[in-house]
Structure formats: C-alpha cells, structure tokens
Amino acid sequence: MVLIFCQSISALRHAYYEAFRYIHIVLAVAVLVGTWYHLRLKDLPQVQMLLFAIAIWILENVVRWIRIGYRNFGNGGTQAMIEALPGNATRVTIDLARPWTFSPSTHAYLYMPS
C-alpha cells in the first residue's frame, strides 16, 4: 500500500499515466490477495468486508466498460480522423456515436487501439 501511495504522486501519475494505471492495478490486486491471505490465515471476520470491497471494485470496472461500450458502439461507432499539421501539431476530429454535451474545461480520455 505504501508503493501505491508513493506511485500516486500527481506529477508521476500525469507524466506516465499508462504505466501508472497498469502498475496501480497490479499493486491493488496484490494488496487484495495479501489481505485475503492475512484474514484467512487468522480466521478473522473481516473477510466479509474484503469481499464486499472486491465486489464494489469489480462492479465499478464492469459499469465503466459498459459505459464506454454504450457511448462508442452505437450508430456505426465513434470514428476519429487524425491529421498532421505544420509545426508538429495534430488535429483530431471525432465523430461521436452518441451525442455528448460538453462545457468549457471538459476533458475526455481517448482510447485509440488502432
């Protein structure tokens, strides 16, 4: 858990987000497995709370993937066109599968698997 805490420093997290994300998931699973064995070896009643926490984590991930699928895989899917511009700039034009209302300072995470 100390490694997760040290890894979550904002500057590191923003500079190396993808690495942070995968390392964070691996460390979180290691904490859950370690906690599971600790509680089971001592036969402690907190196992139920740990199972509840694991269920919430799984549910949150399932809901996230459902939301991503719903927002991106309707009406032909979300399409992106990427253009190289002068001066090492790039223009990304996105045709959304579903309407999305946005306001100033809104941000989006773009998944570009191919």
Side-chain angles (χ1 to χ4, degrees), residues 55-108:
I56 289 174
W57 192 40
I58 291 170
L59 178 65
E60 188 264 333
N61 279 287
V62 168
V63 169
R64 178 185 297 145
W65 282 103
I66 289 171
R67 287 177 59 198
I68 289 170
Y70 173 76
R71 290 186 176 153
N72 291 297
F73 296 113
N75 304 327
T78 296
Q79 300 291 320
M81 184 177 70
I82 303 169
E83 300 173 67
L85 300 175
N88 290 332
T90 306
R91 175 185 296 145
V92 179
T93 306
I94 302 172
D95 295 320
L96 299 173
R98 301 194 188 282
W100 180 48
T101 6
F102 54 90
S103 59
S105 78
T106 301
H107 65 277

Side-chain angles (χ1 to χ4, degrees), residues 10-29:
S10 181
L12 292 175
R13 188 175 65 236
H14 287 88
Y16 306 102
Y17 180 74
E18 287 298 318
F20 158 79
R21 183 172 164 229
Y22 295 120
I23 293 169
H24 189 84
I25 291 170
V26 168
L27 290 174
V29 169

